[in-house]
Amino acid sequence: MLRVLAVDDEEPALEELLYLLRADPRVRSAEGATGATEALRRIGSAVDAGPEDPAAIDVVFLDIHMAGLTGLDVAQLLAGFAAPPLIVFVTAHEGFAVHAFDLKAVDYVLKPVRRERLAEAVRRVAELVGERSAPVHDAAADQIAVELGGVIRLVPVEEIAYAEAQGDYARLHTSTGSHLVRIPLTALEERWRSRGFVRIHRRHLVALNRIDELRLDAGSMSVRIGDAELAVSRRHTRALRDLLMRQTGR
């Protein structure tokens, strides 16, 4: 799932590009910047924060002709970063392709952007990001140790429907009961993000595939997981809805 920054100083073109990117199921998030200066600031912050930070950026879809610094200028500056994001140029001009690939661009997409052509660029990026970050599978990550009556038991992560914050602890809820572990919810969120768990509230982390219903009532959202109904905070509402829509293919 790719984290994307799109950069174009023409807002209609930027909005169209973001719309197409967000419709691609391989894109986890797509944010926009309306100029090179803003883009460099955001990329710099993302690189400093590290690849696991929520603000991390995997790829920049970058226009070439912009006021001030051009997209080629931005790419040259990014080449000096220790671990820069990948670059896909999106431009109305064919004449810069050679220079663009000299700067190690993954792809060069011409405007007006066609959905099929953009999907091909996303596919190339996804393959490269996968090669960069493909982890060696850790079987221990499939389970979590809990204490039950003085006995340590290993609970498969796939059995956990949601986790609830309780101070520096988290309560793990399964179909057969719950277990208290001395791990903060933020640590579990980071550990289980790749396993389909998402934060819906400062108190709750849920497994997407265990959500039975998404409910809207007077502007508020909640999810039903088994017999439990959990509130979704406003800051997480849009992201959760988008994830569920992608999961169902709508």
Side-chain angles (χ1 to χ4, degrees):
M1 296 288 284
L2 300 174
R3 297 158 296 185
V4 177
L5 178 67
V7 187
D8 197 314
D9 61 352
E10 296 181 0
E11 291 198 22
L14 179 61
E15 289 302 317
E16 175 66 14
L17 180 57
L18 287 171
Y19 172 79
L20 293 174
L21 287 167
R22 289 167 180 163
D24 193 304
R26 293 162 296 195
V27 174
R28 178 196 298 177
S29 62
E31 304 299 328
T34 56
T37 301
E38 180 188 356
L40 287 169
R41 176 181 56 78
R42 293 173 67 171
I43 295 166
S45 298
V47 170
D48 289 343
E52 301 304 322
D53 191 86
I57 298 169
D58 296 309
V59 58
V60 182
F61 282 77
L62 185 59
D63 187 24
I64 288 182
H65 275 291
M66 295 186 291
L69 292 175
T70 69
L72 296 172
D73 294 330
V74 172
Q76 287 176 324
L77 290 169
L78 291 183
F81 284 44
L86 299 173
I87 294 174
V88 172
F89 284 105
V90 182
T91 178
H93 303 276
E94 298 183 15
F96 297 100
V98 173
H99 193 178
F101 287 115
D102 284 344
L103 292 169
K104 298 187 173 16
V106 175
D107 209 340
Y108 192 90
V109 179
L110 290 173
K111 297 179 181 178
V113 178
R114 293 183 294 109
R115 185 186 298 269
E116 297 79 8
R117 181 64 184 87
L118 186 66
E120 172 62 17
V122 171
R123 183 192 66 77
R124 293 180 182 179
V125 171
E127 286 182 356
L128 288 172
V129 170
E131 291 171 6
R132 276 182 173 184
S133 60
V136 175
H137 181 68
D138 181 3
D142 295 337
Q143 301 173 315
I144 185 168
V146 303
E147 186 175 351
L148 189 62
V151 176
I152 300 297
R153 180 188 166 206
L154 294 175
V155 175
V157 173
E158 65 184 18
E159 291 184 6
I160 299 166
Y162 67 96
E164 179 180 7
Q166 295 190 356
D168 291 333
Y169 292 73
R171 182 166 293 280
L172 311 179
H173 294 265
T174 71
S175 58
T176 58
S178 67
H179 310 281
L180 194 65
V181 294
R182 192 168 186 173
I183 305 175
L185 198 66
T186 51
L188 290 178
E189 178 185 9
E190 189 66 31
R191 185 185 300 182
W192 293 346
R193 180 178 290 121
S194 64
R195 304 183 67 88
F197 282 77
V198 296
R199 194 72 169 261
I200 64 166
H201 191 277
R202 62 183 177 82
R203 291 193 57 200
H204 292 118
L205 179 71
V206 306
L208 268 181
N209 63 357
R210 301 297 288 271
I211 294 176
D212 298 312
E213 285 183 358
L214 185 66
R215 298 179 175 179
L216 294 170
D217 183 19
S220 297
M221 180 184 285
S222 63
V223 296
R224 183 177 64 80
I225 300 177
D227 295 330
E229 185 170 349
L230 309 175
V232 181
S233 66
R234 290 186 181 276
R235 63 175 294 204
H236 294 103
T237 294
R238 178 177 175 181
L240 177 64
R241 185 162 47 194
D242 288 349
L243 281 170
L244 288 172
M245 295 293 276
R246 288 177 188 171
Q247 192 178 56
T248 57
R250 296 179 184 177

